[in-house]
Amino acid sequence: MDFKYFTLLLVFFHHTGLSEITASDDWSYIGDNGPEHWPDLCISGKKQSPINIATEDTVKIDLGKLKFTRYDFAFQGKITNNGHSIQVQLCCVPIHLEGANLPSTYILEQIHFHWPAEHTIDKNRDALELHFVHYNEQYSNASMASQHENGIAVVATLFEVC
Ligand SMILES: *[C@@H]1O[C@H](CO)[C@@H](O)[C@H](O)[C@H]1NC(C)=O
Ligand SMILES: [Zn+2]
């Protein structure tokens, strides 16, 4: 099987970014635990993700380049199946994201997958979406960072099966 992929330079901040994946609460995309039953910000929030990106409504601006540091390094990690996703928790290699108008340098904490993709483009949903979850280096760890609006930056890559 081949994959075509592109990185959606969708650097989004999520306030509760980590609970998305680490919470043990039973949530789901459909049925009794589906989106209409998700609590709090999921209902009242105005800047929630995922979204559908309507290309017709997008605005082109040049934010400058994202700078990926040590993304080509081999590293140790712990792979977990948490029931919603396969997650790889990184350890011990400072892998950094900066640039593109980000307010700080962000440290890669974990990567995980969503299948099918969460974000859609013109309502088209790809087979797979990979999330690189980073936290702002000014906080001592990812859980502290996730309490702050500028704490978490996620880079999403969409994969199309071809
Ligand atoms: C994160 O840092 C805070 C404050 O330094 C500490 O209390 C907490 O235990 C740390 N959490 C993790 C998961 O390491
Ligand atoms: Zn995710």
Side-chain angles (χ1 to χ4, degrees):
M1 194 191 316
D2 284 334
F3 281 108
K4 230 170 31 191
Y5 70 91
F6 67 94
T7 295
L8 186 65
L9 292 182
L10 174 80
V11 177
F12 51 92
F13 298 101
H14 25 162
H15 184 58
T16 50
L18 294 181
S19 57
E20 171 203 4
I21 264 323
T22 53
S24 56
D25 315 19
D26 223 356
W27 56 268
S28 155
Y29 293 112
I30 48 166
D32 287 349
N33 296 323
E36 49 302 357
H37 304 287
W38 294 352
D40 308 328
L41 264 183
C42 301
I43 297 294
S44 62
K46 297 278 181 254
K47 295 193 265 184
Q48 303 310 102
S49 89
I51 59 168
N52 173 56
I53 297 165
T55 52
E56 212 178 80
D57 300 336
T58 56
V59 178
K60 246 186 200 168
I61 34 171
D62 186 1
L63 295 171
K65 284 186 178 147
L66 275 175
K67 187 174 166 212
F68 295 91
T69 305
R70 297 192 202 91
Y71 273 71
D72 55 347
F73 270 40
F75 55 82
Q76 290 199 327
K78 192 176 122 195
I79 299 184
T80 316
N81 174 353
N82 66 13
H84 294 292
S85 178
I86 303 291
Q87 181 170 320
V88 182
Q89 191 77 27
L90 303 191
C91 171
C92 316
V93 179
I95 299 175
H96 288 168
L97 174 72
E98 62 200 321
N101 231 11
L102 286 170
S104 180
T105 296
Y106 289 78
I107 302 168
L108 186 61
E109 165 77 6
Q110 48 105 331
I111 63 180
H112 62 265
F113 299 88
H114 297 274
W115 61 92
E118 285 198 317
H119 292 82
T120 54
I121 296 180
D122 297 329
K123 301 276 169 74
N124 291 310
R125 195 178 292 281
D126 283 321
L128 182 72
E129 182 166 340
L130 172 57
H131 282 172
F132 298 84
V133 181
H134 308 75
Y135 69 95
N136 189 328
E137 69 168 3
Q138 78 187 73
Y139 303 109
S140 51
N141 54 45
S143 60
M144 294 297 289
S146 67
Q147 309 302 309
H148 300 268
E149 197 170 325
N150 63 0
I152 302 289
V154 178
V155 175
T157 301
L158 294 174
F159 293 75
E160 187 182 322
V161 181
C162 52

